[in-house]
Amino acid sequence: MPKRTSVIIPRENVNDAMVTLVNWCVENGTFVEAEQALADVEGSKAVFTISAPVAGVVQYTLSPGQEVEVGGVLCLIDGNEALPPPAEALPSQSETTPAVTIPVSQSEALRPVAETMPVLTEAGNGITAVSSGRRQPRFSQKAAALLQQHGLAPELFMGQGLVRVQEVLQRLEGHGPRTASPPEAELSWPADAASRPEPVAALGVPVHTVPLAQHKHTERRYLASSFSNTLPSMVTVAVPTRGLRAAAAQSPKFSGSVTALILFEVARLLHKYPALNAFYARGAMHVYEEINIGFAVDAGHGLKVPVIHQADTKSLQDIASEMQEYLLNYLENSLRVESLVGGTFTITDLSSEGVFTFSPLINQGQSAILGVGGEFFLPNSPAGLFNLILSFDHQLAEGRQAAQFLQDLAYRLQAYSAVFKSDMSHEVGAEELHCARCLASLRQLQRLGTVQQEEHFLVQTVQPDGRHEYRCNTCLQGW
Amino acid sequence: MTVQQEAKVLSDLHMQALLIRSVEQRLLELFAQGKLSGTVHTCIGQEWSGVAVAAALQEGDLLFSNHRCHGHYLAWTNDVEGLVAELMGKQTGMCGGRGGSQHICSQGFFSNGIQGGIAPVAAGLAFAQKRTGMPHITVVCIGDGTLGEGVLYEALNIAAKWEIPLCVVLENNLYAQSTPQHLTLAGDILARAAAFGIKTAQGNTWQPEALLVTVAECVAYVRRQCVPLFLQIDTYRLRAHSKGDDDRDPQEVQAYCDKDPLTLFLREHDSEDLAEVMAQHSARIDMAVACAEAAPDAEAIETDDEVPVCAWPVWERTRLTTSERVVHVLHQALQRNMRRDARILLLGEDIAGPYGGAFKVTQDLSQEFPERVLNTPISEAALVGLSSGLALQGWLPVAEIMFGDFLTLAFDQWLNHAAKFRYMYNEQVRVPLIVRTPMGGKRGYGPTHSQSLEKHFLGIPGTRMLALHARYDPGQVYDALFESIDRPTLVIENKLLYGQRITDDVPTGFVLEHSDERFPTTRLRPEGPPDVTILCYGGMLTEAESAIDQLFEVHDLICEVICPLQLYPLNPWPLVESIQRSGRLLVVEEGLSFAAFGAEVIAQVAESASGVLRQVQRVAPPRHPIPACGPLEKALLPGAPHIVKAVVELVQHA
């Protein structure tokens, strides 16, 4: 018998049942060495490369764009002792079944499934899968018991076929390095699926359908799940940019990245606001014991959120360089799946898009997301501002707490400009009175008042630590 | 015919007999020179019986002989060249060097080296001739030693009862190998045949002219009356049974030599003409030997079985649209195929209606096809042999063996006749024979009615073995089989399967699929990564299914089941594909495991897919006969609990 090896699609991500072949790295029927790259394959979170497990002649029938099941066969490698088999010995495509390496489960997924009745497992353990037109999972007895014990919904495992204790544990695990994965919730609707209205298209208008890319589906699922599991609310605080960006640009310490700075500060601040580093489930707040902050990147290769794990333990330098590395990986499409999982808080920075404000959506398994807006200016004022927007889950926090978080953050961010106040002395007189928050000098306020025909003045405040500070009336009163 | 013409005919026949003797003598020389494969059983002294038989037969008749067949063959075909080359093992031999001295096939002549076993096959040939309506007959040549074999009497019984035009020619040379007849033969030879109501006749080779007349009359009788006849030809072989094993009293032998008709003929007709003819014979034989020596040896082949295509299977979801009982599905399959193909015949015990078979598979088919559904006597060997003969003649016989345990009674017919004809006759014939039989226990039938004896029939080259199960339509199996049958095929029908319904209702979380082979492999694929691959077949699939349900439900273990239909030849690739995912194999069989299906599969997997198999175990019954006590039997034969336990242990043992 010839030595024939199947190259199996590895399971890179607990959530992936299918992956898409992006491209082949080798020609069909050529000899490959062990460890040689065979193909690039895209999962829901990342593209990864599959290498040859042994040397030999590679034989494949898949085309780029086709989907393969995780655990299925990518291609065959015929060992060095045997000659490659003649063409007719390879599995050939029949008219009725898909190409050989697309297993039946994929065609099964495409076929409409008539299983819409709720399913009880034979042990009658009371787990009822909600009818939603997709295949219901089957739970082993121990898995079902674990489900009830932790109050997880069966719908969490939709499309998974057979669910054992280990699959349930994987969902539950929030501990442990790098294996933690926030619990996933599929879109869940009230039991009476019939009451959910179908979207209605505009009457009489022709339509052509564009299927959504796989990553968009994943994104949709994640966001929809948190949307339905949280009560999102939003608070915005304006922060002066003056000095901050200049400091960032000039100082090698920041490596030119204000987002790194924000991430660094948020990481530490979250110790004080655990409700923003948690998730709500079944009547309780589940606080993460790590602070892993993801930052959204969208620069031509789709929206991805790489995660800085345990950001509160890392230096600003480390964070900045890690972010830069992620950016490079993103641009090269070589982000690994480990980089994308385990996030407990997210920062999304649209400042480069010139956005004034926006409504970021809380990511699945989290309770808050910080949006960073672009710099804007008050009329006739050189003092720039940018908005920090916090979307938060009202089940765990309130507006006041969210505002305090943002104020604290703003304060810390501004403290950096004070470090370099000496560098900017040419702009602001060292002795001149100025607003401690927005750095507007008294002279500038006077000018502003003249232009706007309104009163602008400074108010002296005494801080809790006894320091005397000035605040302009705008910063004092808010918008 | 005029007197001269008759004289000429007789003279020619003498020459024929002389030629036979010359060839046999030369073969003995060649043997001494070490140029022959195996041994030779010469008919020196008995030549006239073959000559007389061949002279009486017509075109379209068939002749089936035994190990001492050269004379019969040469008289019938005059193929000196083919015979010599065959015995020298050459490709130019009439069977390509594969059959040799005892296993000859050419131009309506057959021989095999199993005494008695040839009788029912010959009866089958004759029965086939009768069914065509042509006035052809079959002659089968046996010896007095053959009278010890039981299957001969089975054949005589059926031949008489079914009025088969079979002419049995018994060459009574008073010895069976080294044993004189008076030591082993009880009673009277002809009385044996007469006991079956068969007409008998007698002749001898010392009076050739009389013998010619006798044989002609016998053959004419069989042809005219279309019934069997038993002819005893007294004769004596002047040489050893085979070679160098003659312990007979030399004086006795000499006495027969003295009255040998050919020796006498030569003495009386010592003339130039005769000498010239003898010289021609000699020259011809020389030439035959020389040609044979120059020819290449018989060709080596890898196997005469089908070789499975070395490729991963394509899997398709199995949709079973009926939910009928298997027994009904089988009945319908037989019915529709019999309607479609007039060559299909059913033979078996108690298969005709209204009884309709021990398990009611054949039911009322005898009413729709009265001439094609045949109740046989309780003669498993003759039943299978007769079916082989029918198959040789182009019929598609389906022989039902009532219980698989009884298949052993027909084992010789299966192994030494049906399975071998195609290869040893050098692809000149086909045996499209189906033997179907129920196997399996759990009905409390006891040690001899409950067995699963597949392992004794596995691996016989030239055959195929299928085992029906509940998750692939058995009707489709038979459809495919009838469409493509070209070799003896044993179909195992599990007894418990008969009452089961065919549905695709498998445990939740598992997908029922089958491969793209002609007789597909069934797979129960789990929707999750498998921990163990379970291999089973036939009735064990139901148990395995129940087990995988429990294993997931209670033990959090995911198993994939591979259940082939075709046990032999075996395609290991569907199984290897599964083991690559799981790394563990559990084989479940209802029969004893020593040197059985599981052992073979594991060996093949170990050979062909080294490294993927980390752990392996077999589940099989304990090593003793199956007891009749119902509950004990159920506890001993593998069931879902045994499988569950074995899988749990297998995984824990890591």
Side-chain angles (χ1 to χ4, degrees):
Chain A
M1 302 269 184
K3 298 205 186 314
R4 171 168 276 194
T5 311
S6 291
V7 181
I8 306 293
I9 307 281
R11 181 175 282 251
E12 288 280 321
N13 177 7
V14 148
N15 306 318
D16 275 346
M18 305 290 291
V19 295
T20 308
L21 176 64
V22 176
N23 60 267
W24 287 105
C25 304
V26 292
E27 293 270 291
N28 198 3
T30 57
F31 185 84
V32 295
E33 300 288 346
E35 305 299 317
Q36 186 174 343
L38 290 176
D40 292 324
V41 168
E42 183 186 35
S44 61
K45 293 193 188 255
V47 175
F48 54 96
T49 305
I50 298 179
S51 309
V54 293
V57 175
V58 65
Q59 306 280 356
Y60 58 76
T61 56
L62 280 182
S63 314
Q66 280 185 312
E67 285 192 274
V68 202
E69 187 190 37
V70 169
V73 176
L74 172 73
C75 63
L76 305 172
I77 295 183
D78 287 313
N80 41 16
E81 281 144 43
L83 293 171
E88 62 270 12
L90 277 182
S92 58
Q93 216 161 359
S94 74
E95 313 99 61
T96 52
T97 56
V100 61
T101 44
I102 295 183
V104 171
S105 66
Q106 191 236 356
S107 55
E108 179 59 41
L110 296 177
R111 217 178 288 162
V113 174
E115 295 140 341
T116 52
M117 297 304 294
V119 168
L120 278 169
T121 62
E122 281 178 16
N125 53 22
I127 298 293
T128 308
V130 173
S131 74
S132 65
R134 291 195 55 191
R135 271 205 314 282
Q136 284 105 19
R138 179 182 170 180
F139 298 90
S140 72
Q141 287 176 2
K142 289 180 196 156
L146 202 57
L147 225 61
Q148 281 189 326
Q149 183 189 336
H150 286 269
L152 295 177
E155 302 85 73
L156 292 173
F157 299 89
M158 282 299 281
Q160 266 199 33
L162 295 171
V163 178
R164 301 167 289 179
V165 163
Q166 56 222 69
E167 277 85 31
V168 176
L169 284 176
Q170 278 177 342
R171 298 294 174 122
L172 286 176
E173 263 165 15
H175 320 283
R178 304 296 168 105
T179 57
S181 180
E184 231 186 36
E186 295 291 347
L187 189 59
S188 67
W189 294 94
D192 183 10
S195 72
R196 176 189 168 194
E198 281 286 317
V200 177
L203 190 63
V205 180
V207 151
H208 69 270
T209 304
V210 178
L212 295 176
Q214 189 175 10
H215 70 85
K216 201 64 189 166
H217 279 296
T218 313
E219 189 187 290
R220 179 177 65 80
R221 285 203 302 274
Y222 290 4
L223 293 176
S225 89
S226 63
F227 188 78
S228 58
N229 286 320
T230 60
L231 292 179
S233 183
M234 212 164 76
V235 164
T236 306
V237 159
V239 181
T241 60
R242 184 186 168 86
L244 183 59
R245 293 194 193 280
Q250 285 174 15
S251 168
K253 281 189 197 175
F254 300 150
S255 307
S257 166
V258 172
T259 318
L261 196 54
I262 296 175
L263 196 148
F264 174 76
E265 289 300 337
V266 166
R268 279 143 189 81
L269 198 50
L270 283 174
H271 282 290
K272 194 176 160 193
Y273 295 89
L276 301 178
N277 191 54
F279 66 96
Y280 171 83
R282 294 289 170 125
M285 174 166 76
H286 303 269
V287 180
Y288 287 112
E289 292 180 8
E290 281 179 7
I291 296 182
N292 306 327
I293 302 190
F295 63 100
V297 181
D298 190 354
H301 297 275
L303 174 61
K304 301 226 158 79
V305 187
V307 174
I308 309 288
H309 289 83
Q310 293 165 357
D312 54 323
T313 65
K314 291 182 175 157
S315 72
L316 178 55
Q317 211 76 311
D318 288 343
I319 288 177
S321 51
E322 201 175 330
M323 283 175 72
Q324 208 164 44
E325 202 187 312
Y326 277 148
L327 256 170
L328 284 171
N329 288 343
Y330 168 84
L331 291 169
E332 290 167 3
N333 257 329
S334 62
L335 271 175
R336 297 184 59 78
V337 171
E338 296 93 80
S339 320
L340 298 169
V341 298
T344 61
F345 185 93
T346 306
I347 297 180
T348 169
D349 185 343
L350 288 182
S351 56
S352 57
E353 307 294 327
V355 164
F356 172 72
T357 186
F358 60 109
S359 317
L361 295 180
I362 302 172
N363 216 341
Q364 66 159 5
Q366 298 177 8
S367 61
I369 178 168
L370 178 71
V372 181
E375 191 176 16
F376 61 93
F377 296 86
L378 301 175
N380 293 330
S381 168
L385 296 161
F386 67 100
N387 282 325
L388 286 174
I389 307 111
L390 187 73
S391 290
F392 63 95
D393 184 355
H394 215 293
Q395 295 173 116
L396 300 181
E398 312 77 36
R400 184 158 180 275
Q401 198 184 118
Q404 279 174 338
F405 170 83
L406 287 178
Q407 297 286 18
D408 278 352
L409 180 60
Y411 180 78
R412 293 190 188 203
L413 291 176
Q414 293 208 83
Y416 282 94
S417 65
V419 170
F420 295 95
K421 224 162 54 174
S422 53
D423 297 337
M424 295 182 284
S425 55
H426 66 279
E427 293 202 23
V428 178
E431 301 300 326
E432 204 171 358
L433 293 177
H434 61 278
C435 174
R437 244 173 156 202
C438 68
L439 299 179
S441 69
L442 197 53
R443 201 156 31 89
Q444 286 164 335
L445 285 172
Q446 281 169 354
R447 214 174 357 182
L448 197 59
T450 311
V451 168
Q452 286 191 344
Q453 299 289 315
E454 285 178 1
E455 275 195 310
H456 286 276
F457 49 85
L458 285 176
V459 175
Q460 189 177 29
T461 63
V462 182
Q463 297 299 315
D465 56 0
R467 275 183 303 119
H468 288 240
E469 274 187 358
Y470 290 93
R471 295 281 154 94
C472 70
N473 57 318
T474 311
C475 288
L476 199 59
Q477 291 164 4
W479 295 104
Chain B
M1 248 197 293
T2 65
V3 171
Q4 281 110 329
Q5 281 170 328
E6 277 187 19
K8 173 76 168 62
V9 165
L10 187 59
S11 172
D12 287 344
L13 292 175
H14 271 104
M15 296 304 114
Q16 195 180 64
L18 286 168
L19 175 60
I20 292 172
R21 179 162 298 189
S22 299
V23 171
E24 294 283 70
Q25 282 169 336
R26 176 61 72 90
L27 288 174
L28 287 172
E29 281 175 31
L30 288 168
F31 180 89
Q33 293 164 11
K35 292 189 178 166
L36 297 187
S37 308
T39 187
V40 279
H41 306 89
T42 63
C43 64
I44 294 173
Q46 302 181 190
E47 295 87 348
W48 270 107
S49 76
V51 171
V53 165
L57 292 178
Q58 295 171 2
E59 181 127 4
D61 292 339
L62 301 170
L63 179 51
F64 213 122
S65 181
N66 51 59
H67 55 285
R68 201 178 304 285
C69 60
H70 301 165
H72 308 146
Y73 181 68
L74 289 173
W76 182 234
T77 65
N78 193 28
D79 181 18
V80 173
E81 292 72 21
L83 181 68
V84 168
E86 183 63 29
L87 266 65
M88 292 176 76
K90 302 297 181 176
Q91 283 186 29
T92 47
M94 98 291 280
C95 289
R98 290 178 172 182
S101 166
Q102 306 179 61
H103 318 92
I104 293 178
C105 173
S106 183
Q107 307 164 55
F109 183 93
F110 303 85
S111 73
N112 202 354
I114 304 289
Q115 293 251 24
I118 60 175
V121 182
L125 294 175
F127 189 52
Q129 289 170 315
K130 172 176 176 167
R131 293 189 75 95
T132 63
M134 302 286 276
H136 298 311
I137 71 162
T138 299
V139 171
V140 59
C141 296
I142 61 177
D144 52 299
T146 315
L147 293 169
E149 289 286 354
V151 67
L152 172 65
Y153 302 99
E154 289 185 33
L156 290 176
N157 185 45
I158 291 185
K161 202 68 206 165
W162 290 7
E163 298 184 340
I164 292 177
L166 179 71
C167 185
V168 182
V169 174
L170 184 146
E171 290 171 319
N172 178 27
N173 61 17
L174 306 176
Y175 284 87
Q177 195 153 332
S178 71
T179 309
Q181 192 181 92
H182 65 88
L183 291 180
T184 58
L185 189 74
D188 179 76
I189 296 177
L190 290 176
R192 283 160 158 75
F196 293 104
I198 297 176
K199 184 172 164 68
T200 62
Q202 196 164 5
N204 67 75
T205 53
W206 300 286
Q207 291 155 312
E209 291 170 54
L211 183 61
L212 285 165
V213 171
T214 306
V215 175
E217 279 174 358
C218 292
V219 165
Y221 172 85
V222 172
R223 197 185 307 284
R224 192 175 56 246
Q225 306 287 86
C226 199
V227 290
L229 181 142
F230 192 99
L231 168 63
Q232 174 182 337
I233 300 181
D234 295 321
T235 183
Y236 193 89
R237 57 175 163 79
L238 300 179
R239 296 298 190 95
H241 161 74
S242 59
K243 191 73 175 74
D245 52 0
D246 207 340
D247 296 322
R248 294 174 296 180
D249 176 14
Q251 280 185 328
E252 178 194 286
V253 178
Q254 188 56 49
Y256 280 101
C257 283
D258 291 339
K259 66 169 186 166
D260 169 54
L262 289 180
T263 311
L264 294 173
F265 180 85
L266 283 170
R267 216 174 285 157
E268 279 166 35
H269 295 80
D270 193 6
S271 68
E272 271 186 25
D273 290 337
L274 184 57
E276 195 184 320
V277 170
M278 296 297 285
Q280 280 172 0
H281 287 173
S282 196
R284 181 181 175 191
I285 297 170
D286 288 341
M287 177 65 86
V289 172
C291 287
E293 279 183 317
D297 284 342
E299 200 186 346
I301 62 169
E302 177 81 23
T303 177
D304 67 335
D305 291 329
E306 284 169 353
V307 177
V309 173
C310 174
W312 302 118
V314 177
W315 296 96
E316 191 187 316
R317 176 87 181 240
T318 307
R319 300 250 179 237
L320 296 166
T321 48
T322 68
S323 66
E324 309 242 18
R325 287 194 203 281
V326 168
V327 77
H328 187 56
V329 172
L330 292 173
H331 172 261
Q332 285 182 322
L334 290 174
Q335 185 182 52
R336 70 171 165 267
N337 280 285
M338 286 180 80
R339 284 177 181 167
R340 181 185 57 80
D341 193 335
R343 298 172 298 169
I344 298 175
L345 305 171
L346 305 186
L347 299 97
E349 296 158 17
D350 299 287
I351 61 171
Y355 188 75
F359 293 93
K360 309 298 176 216
V361 173
T362 46
Q363 273 180 39
D364 57 355
L365 291 174
S366 62
Q367 278 155 332
E368 186 177 343
F369 309 101
E371 297 297 310
R372 293 164 61 191
V373 178
L374 305 167
N375 266 5
T376 67
I378 303 178
S379 308
E380 279 77 13
L383 154 57
V384 173
L386 196 86
S387 303
S388 298
L390 284 166
L392 280 169
Q393 289 294 92
W395 293 88
L396 297 188
V398 181
E400 175 180 306
I401 301 294
M402 192 188 287
F403 278 73
D405 316 61
F406 309 158
L407 199 49
T408 52
L409 292 156
F411 193 57
D412 175 69
Q413 285 298 322
W414 182 256
L415 175 70
N416 283 327
H417 300 266
K420 291 194 164 58
F421 286 147
R422 177 177 177 167
Y423 174 84
M424 69 184 184
Y425 294 160
N426 203 25
E427 308 285 325
Q428 293 180 76
V429 299
R430 292 286 180 275
V431 185
L433 164 68
I434 298 174
V435 174
R436 39 173 294 276
T437 187
M439 298 261 203
K442 299 194 185 170
R443 278 202 176 177
Y445 282 138
T448 64
H449 282 54
S450 313
Q451 297 167 93
S452 298
L453 297 177
E454 293 83 35
K455 73 165 178 170
H456 301 289
F457 296 86
L458 281 172
I460 299 175
T463 67
R464 189 195 310 276
M465 185 186 301
L466 305 175
L468 305 179
H469 58 77
R471 294 298 184 203
Y472 188 82
D473 187 348
Q476 284 191 17
V477 177
Y478 272 108
D479 289 340
L481 184 54
F482 281 120
E483 213 175 341
S484 63
I485 176 101
D486 67 341
R487 67 192 60 213
T489 302
L490 182 59
V491 182
I492 310 288
E493 302 172 355
N494 183 269
K495 290 191 195 74
L496 295 184
L497 189 63
Y498 286 139
Q500 287 182 13
R501 291 191 185 279
I502 298 294
T503 68
D504 51 21
D505 190 16
V506 295
T508 314
F510 295 87
V511 182
L512 180 65
E513 298 167 337
H514 60 272
S515 66
D516 57 342
E517 304 159 87
R518 184 194 299 153
F519 299 107
T521 301
T522 284
R523 173 170 84 170
L524 276 167
R525 178 173 56 83
E527 291 172 330
D531 301 302
V532 176
T533 297
I534 298 179
L535 177 75
C536 64
Y537 64 88
M540 286 289 105
L541 178 59
T542 312
E543 299 296 328
E545 247 185 56
S546 174
I548 63 175
D549 200 24
Q550 277 183 56
L551 281 163
F552 172 74
E553 188 67 33
V554 175
H555 300 278
D556 261 31
L557 291 172
I558 295 183
C559 299
E560 179 165 270
V561 178
I562 302 287
C563 181
L565 268 176
Q566 181 166 300
L567 306 185
Y568 183 80
L570 177 68
N571 180 9
W573 297 109
L575 177 65
V576 170
E577 189 186 18
S578 176
I579 295 175
Q580 285 197 340
R581 285 202 297 276
S582 68
R584 299 189 189 90
L585 174 64
L586 185 79
V587 183
V588 183
E589 32 195 353
E590 191 176 338
L592 296 169
S593 62
F594 192 96
F597 183 66
E600 171 66 26
V601 166
I602 292 165
Q604 284 197 24
V605 169
E607 285 171 341
S608 65
S610 57
V612 286
L613 188 56
R614 299 194 315 262
Q615 283 173 275
V616 64
Q617 199 61 243
R618 291 175 289 176
V619 173
R623 297 223 184 107
H624 55 73
I626 301 172
C629 165
L632 179 58
E633 185 196 23
K634 281 213 173 62
L636 293 175
L637 293 178
H642 304 84
I643 300 173
V644 169
K645 181 161 176 287
V647 168
V648 170
E649 279 172 11
L650 188 67
V651 174
Q652 279 171 357
H653 188 61

